[in-house]
Amino acid sequence: MAVGKDDVEIIKPRTDKRQYRRLVLKNSLQVLLISDPDADKCAASMNVSVGAFCDPVGLEGLAHFLEHMLFYASEKYPVEDSYLKYISEHGGMANAFTSSEHTNYYFDVNPDSFEEALDRFAQFFIKPLMSADATMREIKAVDSENQKNLLSDVWRLNQLRKHLSSEDHPYHKFSTGNWETLEVRPKAKGLDTRHELIKFYNEHYSSNLMHLVVYSKESVDKIQGLVENKFQDIRNTDRNLFRFPGQPCTSEHLQILARAVPIKQGHKLRIGWPITPSVHHYKEAPGRYISHLIGHESEGSLFYILKTLGWATSLAAGEGDWTLDYSFFEVTVDLTDSGHEHMQDVVGLLFKYINLLRQSGASKWIFDELSAVCEVTFHYQDKVPPIDYVVTVATYMETYPPQDWLVGKSLPSNFSPEIIQMTLNELSPKTVRIFWESKQFEGKTDMVEPWYGTTYSIEKIDESIIQDWILSAPEENLHLPAPNVFIPTDLSLKDAQEAKFPVLLRKSSYSTLWYKPDAMFSTPKAFVKIYFNCPHASSSPESEVLTDIFTRLLLDYLNEYAYYAQVAGLDYGINHTESGFEVTVVGYNHKLRILLETIFQKIAQFKVKPDRFSVIKEMVTKEYHNNKFLQPYQLAMYYCSLILQDQTWPWMEELEVLPHLEAEDLAKFVPMMLSRTFLECYIAGNIESNEAGSIIQYTEDVFFKGSNPICQPLFPSQHLTNRVVKLEKGKNYVYSNQGLNPSDENSCLVHYIQVHRDDFLMNVKLQLLALIAKQPAFHQLRTVEQLGYITALLQRNDFGIHGVQFIIQSSVKGPKYIDLRVESFLQMFESKLYEMTSDQFKNNVNALIDMKLEKHKNLKEESGFYWREISDGTLKFDRREAEVAALKQLTQQELIDFFNENIKAGAPRKKTLCVRVYGSLHAPELKEETSESAEPHIVHIDDIFSFRRSQPLYGSFKGGFVQMKL
């Protein structure tokens, strides 16, 4: 029973057709119901106002561990992992996260399975089971999760900032948990972790501290009945909200400069201050106003000056960690080598800019402009998947009054110069905390952060030191931004012709244009992608690197102008691709063309500025170097792509050529690269066909016309395609290598099974098999065997060549052992497949059909789907409908035959590629593996490129040949 429905009107976007209802159950659980008749997925999120700050002393990570344990089983559904199994088999996904003051659990699922999924979910909070055996296994999973974070700079530096705070404040704590905090230390004190876990749950989890969002296609009345029935049994112990008043930082932790040694190359500067949380003034939005200006990138901004001086490559500003009781405002700057040498000047310039903001006072026109942008953004926001929506709204419910549950802090509306000034005054040299990260501090630090082992040193910096830095900083013309010309004023919708799929609107020797008007999303937005297919862009490692630098320089040149467009909701990108580069612009259509034409002019008139070339080259060099610190699973997937995808260059070779490349090399290269080009174009959204055609006509005029054209069309022989290595049937290829980071103990296996070239019937067999096997694989290899936190079974598609891959990262076992466990799982799964009833088979087929019929949520998502068909050359725009038709014809026996032929252990047609990356813990096993004698069906790959050259390739879909059945 609901105690009450509120008559508070919940503010929603003008374009939002969904219905909302707030209710409070008799156990004080606050609920928001969302009815969306168009929903293809139903979702729910429970936000519990209990987080890591509630961890008992000596049991760090207990709240996070509890989050893991609630997934296992409940009194009503006692079979272990049956919740995740149910969700997965019915087209959904589930997850959770723990933050400082709350824990959020969420899932989505196909609509016809929502009621049972919701019932299973509710049991988390009614009567969960936490068996002793599961407790021990899941401590290992938490430890494995922590292991993957140990060499991540984001995690390491975040913990250092927490470490340098008051030990009496929970902000200081380590919140993930590991084997030491959840097993070794409690045991030494005579504590039983499972007993403590149950005690923590009983003492902290109470319905009055919970906020639930339920999203369904049913009416709000029907959802209300469902929620009352399922959630009224959650216990209400009337707990007070856990609050942790007081500031994390005492005077000892302010006015400090901490030098820290990161894992990766690069220099970073984080300047932070404790401030009054902006959430208390969310309508006045002081934090948003200040971050908008300090983080601005237009001419005269702090970043523009730092960039012009060659000192910074990026700058971000805004509130970082915050609760209702404290907040930190942070400015993060990525420094160049030169910027690192001028750290004091960078800090001095930041304070100069803050002083400028203080002296000029809060500006009404800037606030009004910001408010106008926020208003358009809110009212014309894209629909997002329900699972993302419910999580956002559930976290807002804890903080904001009911009328603002959908808005949060996204609509600043009250201009208050006093409140803005108050926050500006808090950004003072008296309370500053500076964290300076660089490899150059190696050997010069004298302290170690205990949880991650980050080495650091601390120096006190008083106000007079900062004043000296301000005085000695260079005299630069810092000023406020100009009015934003990109804010859209025409938000009208064009008359759209009905077009179910993209149509080929025009075709010439210069370009093809695919076009799809929007008849579905009814938003004043458009999507434009122009792919410059340039054969010279990828003919060698040198040309690949030069193309990369060229695209980054273009973005660099555009930045201070196009930043205004980004602020106004017009996103753009210029990305280096396999054989050229692509320009993408997406957002409000009103002023999209102005931005697009500016980008094309920049490309057409491209000149190399030697100073900017040096900065970008330095940045690219560090990025390539930092590939050595990829997680083992990322490295294994990279090797897999390098082996399978023909004509790809390894980053090691690109890193080798980088030092020798100079500005004049790029100046010679770009005209040659552009000299032969073909444009593949896709335009969609609130844009008429004549307008789309005229954009491409303009583009052709810029690049291909005139007395001395920049580009010539490609010769027929120059159309490059992406080809994929065709593995031999019955063979198991193995590529083994040592991890590149000697400090990383984790190993990884990618076990890839190549199956077929794009074909509707084969596709659905593979997809159905992956859907059925996904959860059993996770359950067996992660939950039961605890091989590693990162354990996944995923489909893989390389330019239309389909397969399936197991990805497992582990510090407990080496890749060869894990490979045997994957084979063993496949043997076990075989019997599960045979035991499947015809009803179970039908349910799985229907779940996959529902997933396929899911509508695109927004223009960007839809455009991504169609662009993939265009870029792969498959052009099967009706893929989903055709695959649904194939699924409806599929029999259980056909699926079993498909498994037996292509997937099962020892299948005669099976084509396997195993990539094994050995971490430091398992390095000796690699030596043993290389000395073993090979079995007849196993092919060891010693040299990737010799192997690639010796293998046949699949035909490309861009080859222009009629597709043939395999």
Side-chain angles (χ1 to χ4, degrees):
M1 264 303 298
V3 174
K5 285 185 263 188
D6 232 300
D7 294 331
V8 173
E9 192 179 340
I10 294 172
I11 299 164
K12 66 178 194 175
R14 284 195 282 270
T15 50
D16 190 348
K17 311 265 193 315
R18 294 170 287 210
Q19 267 196 302
Y20 297 86
R21 178 183 291 168
R22 176 193 178 221
L23 61 123
V24 182
L25 300 192
K26 64 179 183 188
N27 57 1
S28 299
L29 173 67
Q30 298 223 40
V31 187
L32 181 66
L33 313 174
I34 306 175
S35 166
D36 178 3
D38 296 330
D40 304 301
K41 277 268 198 297
C42 296
S45 168
M46 178 74 90
N47 200 67
V48 186
S49 300
V50 174
F53 279 6
C54 292
D55 285 346
V57 176
L59 275 163
E60 292 84 358
L62 194 66
H64 175 223
F65 180 43
L66 174 61
E67 171 228 297
H68 276 237
M69 287 304 299
L70 292 189
F71 281 80
Y72 264 76
S74 63
E75 214 167 87
K76 186 169 181 182
Y77 299 101
V79 177
E80 193 177 281
D81 257 1
S82 61
Y83 166 73
L84 285 175
K85 182 173 186 286
Y86 185 85
I87 298 282
S88 176
E89 285 176 354
H90 295 90
M93 67 87 65
N95 212 331
F97 61 85
T98 306
S99 64
S100 303
E101 293 195 319
H102 62 257
T103 307
N104 192 294
Y105 302 85
Y106 56 94
F107 76 91
D108 70 1
V109 75
N110 291 337
D112 58 359
S113 313
F114 186 51
E115 186 168 343
E116 184 174 332
L118 199 62
D119 192 49
R120 288 170 177 274
F121 181 65
Q123 303 310 310
F124 280 38
F125 314 103
I126 298 170
K127 282 207 174 156
L129 292 181
M130 302 181 226
S131 74
D133 174 46
T135 303
M136 187 52 73
R137 276 183 282 129
E138 204 56 28
I139 291 174
K140 290 176 182 170
V142 170
D143 188 62
S144 175
E145 182 177 354
N146 183 58
Q147 283 273 348
K148 81 169 174 59
N149 301 337
L150 289 178
L151 296 174
S152 157
D153 283 327
V154 172
W155 286 89
R156 292 165 72 87
L157 274 302
N158 182 45
Q159 190 64 43
L160 179 61
R161 292 199 293 282
K162 288 154 78 81
H163 182 64
L164 297 179
S165 69
S166 168
E167 288 185 32
D168 299 332
H169 196 284
Y171 177 74
H172 182 84
K173 291 178 179 180
F174 166 62
S175 56
T176 310
N178 60 21
W179 184 255
E180 186 73 19
T181 67
L182 296 171
E183 171 62 16
V184 178
R185 291 184 192 177
K187 210 174 217 171
K189 289 186 198 160
L191 293 176
D192 177 327
T193 303
R194 178 171 172 264
H195 174 75
E196 295 300 317
L197 188 72
I198 294 166
K199 183 169 129 191
F200 182 86
Y201 177 83
N202 289 334
E203 284 181 5
H204 291 77
Y205 272 45
S206 171
S207 55
N208 71 309
L209 298 183
M210 298 180 185
H211 292 87
L212 174 69
V213 181
V214 178
Y215 191 119
S216 169
K217 61 189 300 156
E218 302 292 353
S219 69
V220 279
D221 288 337
K222 186 142 186 209
I223 312 170
Q224 179 169 338
L226 204 59
V227 167
E228 287 170 355
N229 175 6
K230 310 274 181 220
F231 291 89
Q232 64 187 358
D233 293 336
I234 301 177
R235 209 165 38 108
N236 180 12
T237 57
D238 243 351
R239 285 297 322 221
N240 287 333
L241 189 64
F242 297 96
R243 287 289 290 268
F244 305 91
Q247 290 299 308
C249 298
T250 63
S251 58
E252 179 195 341
H253 311 108
L254 302 174
Q255 294 192 320
I256 58 167
L257 168 60
R259 293 175 172 83
V261 180
I263 298 291
K264 292 186 172 182
Q265 288 202 0
H267 321 284
K268 209 183 262 294
L269 197 56
R270 297 173 197 269
I271 302 105
W273 300 263
I275 63 163
T276 305
S278 279
V279 69
H280 294 303
H281 306 288
Y282 67 96
K283 299 278 193 205
E284 292 77 13
R288 186 151 195 166
Y289 176 91
I290 295 165
S291 64
H292 169 66
L293 293 174
I294 295 179
H296 217 280
E297 299 184 12
S298 62
E299 195 259 323
S301 66
L302 174 62
F303 178 65
Y304 175 80
I305 300 297
L306 293 176
K307 188 182 123 171
T308 309
L309 291 164
W311 291 351
T313 55
S314 82
L315 183 149
E319 271 180 278
D321 282 316
W322 66 270
T323 68
L324 291 174
D325 296 297
Y326 73 84
S327 180
F328 290 101
F329 189 92
E330 289 182 346
V331 178
T332 305
V333 188
D334 283 314
L335 300 171
T336 60
D337 291 347
S338 174
H340 178 69
E341 300 301 320
H342 287 90
M343 182 279 290
Q344 298 174 0
D345 291 327
V346 173
V347 175
L349 282 165
L350 168 60
F351 275 104
K352 271 189 172 180
Y353 193 76
I354 292 167
N355 289 340
L356 167 75
L357 296 182
R358 267 198 212 110
Q359 285 150 17
S360 50
S363 163
K364 181 149 185 1
W365 79 261
I366 291 178
F367 183 88
D368 289 346
E369 188 181 86
L370 185 63
S371 177
V373 168
C374 290
E375 181 134 338
V376 171
T377 305
F378 177 73
H379 286 295
Y380 293 95
Q381 61 184 272
D382 286 339
K383 223 174 177 184
V384 296
I387 193 167
D388 298 334
Y389 194 56
V390 293
V391 170
T392 303
V393 176
T395 51
Y396 282 174
M397 285 169 75
E398 188 184 18
T399 310
Y400 301 98
Q403 67 267 26
D404 288 329
W405 277 356
L406 307 181
V407 174
K409 58 179 183 211
S410 61
L411 282 181
S413 53
N414 303 341
F415 177 58
S416 168
E418 301 74 28
I419 289 174
I420 291 170
Q421 205 64 34
M422 173 196 81
T423 305
L424 273 172
N425 290 338
E426 290 179 311
L427 308 186
S428 145
K430 292 191 180 89
T431 55
V432 74
R433 285 157 57 88
I434 301 175
F435 290 81
W436 187 12
E437 305 160 33
S438 173
K439 285 282 215 195
Q440 292 188 12
F441 300 140
E442 270 178 323
K444 299 173 187 168
T445 56
D446 55 1
M447 297 167 109
V448 180
E449 188 281 313
W451 297 107
Y452 290 82
T454 307
T455 56
Y456 70 98
S457 62
I458 297 184
E459 180 187 327
K460 284 297 267 184
I461 40 161
D462 61 27
E463 214 174 332
S464 63
I465 293 174
I466 301 275
Q467 291 304 336
D468 289 346
W469 293 357
I470 295 170
L471 290 170
S472 62
E475 281 303 320
E476 295 291 340
N477 182 22
L478 287 163
H479 60 80
L480 297 177
N484 191 338
V485 297
F486 279 103
I487 295 174
T489 51
D490 178 3
L491 296 161
S492 61
L493 298 180
K494 311 277 169 81
D495 293 331
Q497 318 92 299
E498 267 301 323
K500 194 173 181 190
F501 302 119
V503 292
L504 186 59
L505 197 61
R506 53 179 280 164
K507 187 179 179 183
S508 69
S509 59
Y510 311 120
S511 70
T512 53
L513 166 59
W514 292 93
Y515 166 69
K516 185 180 182 301
D518 171 34
M520 187 162 165
F521 308 112
S522 303
T523 57
K525 295 177 183 180
F527 179 100
V528 177
K529 194 182 278 283
I530 316 274
Y531 172 38
F532 287 72
N533 185 340
C534 312
H536 296 305
S538 56
S539 56
S540 67
E542 284 89 347
S543 55
E544 190 95 349
V545 175
L546 288 167
T547 307
D548 190 6
I549 293 175
F550 162 71
T551 58
R552 292 177 195 238
L553 270 175
L554 276 174
L555 289 170
D556 186 78
Y557 295 174
L558 280 161
N559 193 56
E560 50 268 19
Y561 170 78
Y563 184 78
Y564 285 107
Q566 279 186 311
V567 168
L570 202 49
D571 272 329
Y572 68 100
I574 303 171
N575 299 308
H576 164 215
T577 58
E578 288 89 7
S579 46
F581 63 97
E582 59 187 29
V583 174
T584 313
V585 182
V586 56
Y588 302 109
N589 54 277
H590 181 204
K591 298 181 179 179
L592 181 145
R593 186 157 179 172
I594 302 168
L595 178 61
L596 198 59
E597 291 185 3
T598 307
I599 293 171
F600 291 149
Q601 289 302 331
K602 277 274 189 270
I603 296 171
Q605 295 157 17
F606 183 81
K607 295 277 180 291
V608 182
K609 299 175 186 169
D611 59 329
R612 298 312 299 158
F613 176 87
S614 302
V615 168
I616 300 292
K617 178 182 165 181
E618 180 193 307
M619 186 164 91
V620 170
T621 305
K622 285 176 189 162
E623 274 184 34
Y624 285 22
H625 261 295
N626 285 334
N627 284 332
K628 293 173 185 170
F629 304 107
L630 288 171
Q631 290 247 15
Y633 81 92
Q634 294 169 316
L635 188 61
M637 289 174 77
Y638 165 75
Y639 285 139
C640 199
S641 297
L642 199 59
I643 291 166
L644 292 171
Q645 295 174 9
D646 193 40
Q647 291 298 314
T648 46
W649 311 106
W651 61 261
M652 293 81 153
E653 289 179 8
E654 293 172 355
L655 189 56
E656 213 173 295
V657 302
L658 251 169
H660 312 293
L661 297 175
E662 297 304 335
E664 46 273 27
D665 296 314
L666 186 63
K668 283 185 206 142
F669 171 76
V670 171
M672 199 238 337
M673 174 188 72
L674 291 171
S675 67
R676 293 279 168 191
T677 302
F678 183 75
L679 307 177
E680 284 185 66
C681 315
Y682 179 73
I683 297 182
N686 191 36
I687 202 159
E688 288 168 347
S689 60
N690 58 347
E691 211 178 332
S694 110
I695 287 173
I696 301 312
Q697 187 59 60
Y698 171 84
T699 313
E700 287 185 2
D701 290 348
V702 169
F703 292 104
F704 292 96
K705 304 290 164 70
S707 54
N708 190 14
I710 299 162
C711 307
Q712 300 283 341
L714 294 188
F715 289 115
S717 61
Q718 283 185 298
H719 284 265
L720 288 183
T721 57
N722 301 306
R723 306 282 300 272
V724 176
V725 166
K726 188 175 188 177
L727 302 175
E728 196 180 324
K729 287 173 191 159
K731 289 273 191 279
N732 181 5
Y733 299 90
V734 177
Y735 177 72
S736 303
N737 210 333
Q738 207 156 343
L740 298 175
N741 180 2
S743 309
D744 201 333
E745 297 181 345
N746 292 289
S747 292
C748 181
L749 168 79
V750 170
H751 181 107
Y752 165 69
I753 303 165
Q754 189 179 69
V755 184
H756 67 281
R757 189 170 182 266
D758 194 53
D759 168 275
F760 293 144
L761 183 58
M762 292 291 275
N763 293 354
V764 297
K765 289 177 184 175
L766 186 66
Q767 290 159 8
L768 187 59
L769 203 63
L771 176 72
I772 296 167
K774 185 180 175 179
Q775 188 50 35
F778 182 86
H779 174 71
Q780 182 60 33
L781 300 169
R782 185 187 137 175
T783 309
V784 177
E785 299 188 28
Q786 283 298 332
L787 292 174
Y789 177 75
I790 294 174
T791 298
L793 167 60
L794 302 171
Q795 293 172 64
R796 185 182 171 108
N797 175 3
D798 297 270
F799 311 115
I801 308 306
H802 296 265
V804 68
Q805 58 190 356
F806 291 83
I807 301 164
I808 301 169
Q809 180 169 298
S810 179
S811 58
V812 291
K813 295 290 181 187
K816 189 172 181 188
Y817 174 85
I818 297 170
D819 215 348
L820 295 172
R821 300 315 304 149
V822 168
E823 289 289 333
S824 167
F825 165 75
L826 287 171
Q827 286 165 355
M828 190 178 77
F829 178 71
E830 188 181 337
S831 57
K832 278 203 162 80
L833 205 55
Y834 279 104
E835 289 159 13
M836 195 194 313
T837 65
S838 60
D839 279 353
Q840 286 172 325
F841 174 75
K842 275 187 202 128
N843 288 343
N844 282 308
V845 168
N846 290 336
L848 187 54
I849 287 174
D850 284 348
M851 289 160 79
K852 291 199 164 297
L853 293 178
E854 216 177 298
K855 295 183 284 290
H856 295 295
K857 300 290 171 289
N858 53 59
L859 179 65
K860 198 171 177 181
E861 188 188 299
E862 181 194 76
S863 299
F865 176 84
Y866 290 130
W867 177 253
R868 174 136 203 198
E869 295 293 334
I870 294 164
S871 66
D872 282 356
T874 40
L875 299 178
K876 294 173 181 169
F877 299 129
D878 63 344
R879 173 176 301 281
R880 302 197 307 181
E881 294 80 355
E883 288 183 349
V884 165
L887 263 173
K888 286 178 176 170
Q889 302 299 314
L890 185 66
T891 66
Q892 192 167 346
Q893 190 55 49
E894 284 175 310
L895 184 69
I896 291 169
D897 293 345
F898 173 83
F899 175 81
N900 288 340
E901 277 182 34
N902 299 288
I903 309 287
K904 94 171 195 178
R909 289 171 56 108
K910 188 171 175 182
K911 304 182 287 185
T912 311
L913 167 63
C914 294
V915 177
R916 302 170 180 174
V917 171
Y918 285 82
S920 57
L921 271 184
H922 308 112
E925 296 172 27
L926 176 58
K927 293 192 178 70
E928 288 166 28
E929 187 190 304
T930 45
S931 59
E932 285 171 10
S933 56
E935 295 166 48
H937 68 289
I938 293 181
V939 179
H940 281 279
I941 300 172
D942 298 318
D943 177 277
I944 289 177
F945 309 104
S946 304
F947 170 76
R948 221 165 59 178
R949 281 190 292 271
S950 68
Q951 296 304 301
L953 303 173
Y954 277 103
S956 164
F957 285 98
K958 285 195 163 178
F961 304 111
V962 177
Q963 189 190 341
M964 294 163 75
K965 285 262 167 100
L966 289 178

